[in-house]
């Protein structure tokens, strides 16, 4: 699950526990790396696009839901979920999260 935090970060929950917190920009960078990779992304949920203007509360919720669906689809993708790219992202995000807490 992906849950918004007050600083417009997103908590990632794995197996019901907070695994890490990430910002939209970190997920965007991961998405770019996945798009450049050899993975078939036809089954991956579309990454929510960047917006030029500040997001209102409904847009923030739409983005959160979109990010949650995106991350869940990565976790369910048989190749991406086992890839070094995805695993390294999760490990690095968890390390950064643990430094802050």
């Amino acid at each position: 699950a992906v849950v918004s935090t007050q600083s417009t970060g997103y908590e990632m929950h794995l197996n019901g526990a907070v695994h890490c917190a990430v910002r939209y920009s970190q997920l965007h960078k991961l998405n770019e790396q996945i798009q450049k990779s050899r993975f078939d992304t036809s089954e991956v949920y579309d990454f929510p696009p960047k917006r030029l203007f500040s997001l209102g509360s409904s847009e923030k919720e739409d983005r959160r839901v979109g990010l949650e669906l995106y991350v869940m689809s990565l976790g369910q993708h048989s190749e991406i979920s086992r890839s070094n790219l995805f695993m390294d992202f999760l490990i690095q995000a968890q390390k950064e999260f643990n430094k802050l807490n």
Side-chain angles (χ1 to χ4, degrees):
V2 177
V3 179
S4 295
T5 63
Q6 288 183 345
S7 65
T8 317
Y10 301 93
E11 290 180 350
M12 292 180 61
H13 294 242
L14 300 175
N15 299 324
V18 176
H19 175 75
C20 62
V22 295
R23 297 190 53 82
Y24 175 86
S25 60
Q26 291 171 287
L27 290 169
H28 186 267
K29 182 177 177 183
L30 173 64
N31 181 61
E32 288 178 336
Q33 292 171 329
I34 288 171
Q35 295 303 318
K36 291 177 185 175
S37 71
R38 58 173 169 48
F39 301 116
D40 173 14
T41 58
S42 62
E43 295 180 17
V44 173
Y45 192 84
D46 289 337
F47 190 81
K50 284 186 175 183
R51 303 279 186 215
L52 296 177
F53 303 103
S54 296
L55 300 176
S57 58
S58 66
E59 289 95 357
K60 285 180 184 177
E61 179 60 12
D62 289 346
R63 175 180 274 182
R64 186 202 63 76
V65 169
L67 290 171
E68 181 170 10
L69 292 170
Y70 174 76
V71 170
M72 286 176 22
S73 70
L74 293 179
Q76 293 170 353
H77 191 285
S78 61
E79 291 181 338
I80 294 174
S81 64
R82 294 186 316 235
S83 71
N84 288 339
L85 176 64
F86 189 61
M87 297 304 282
D88 290 347
F89 171 80
L90 291 175
I91 291 168
Q92 186 60 36
Q94 187 177 39
K95 285 179 182 177
E96 291 174 15
F97 177 71
N98 288 337
K99 278 187 207 176
L100 300 173
N101 293 312

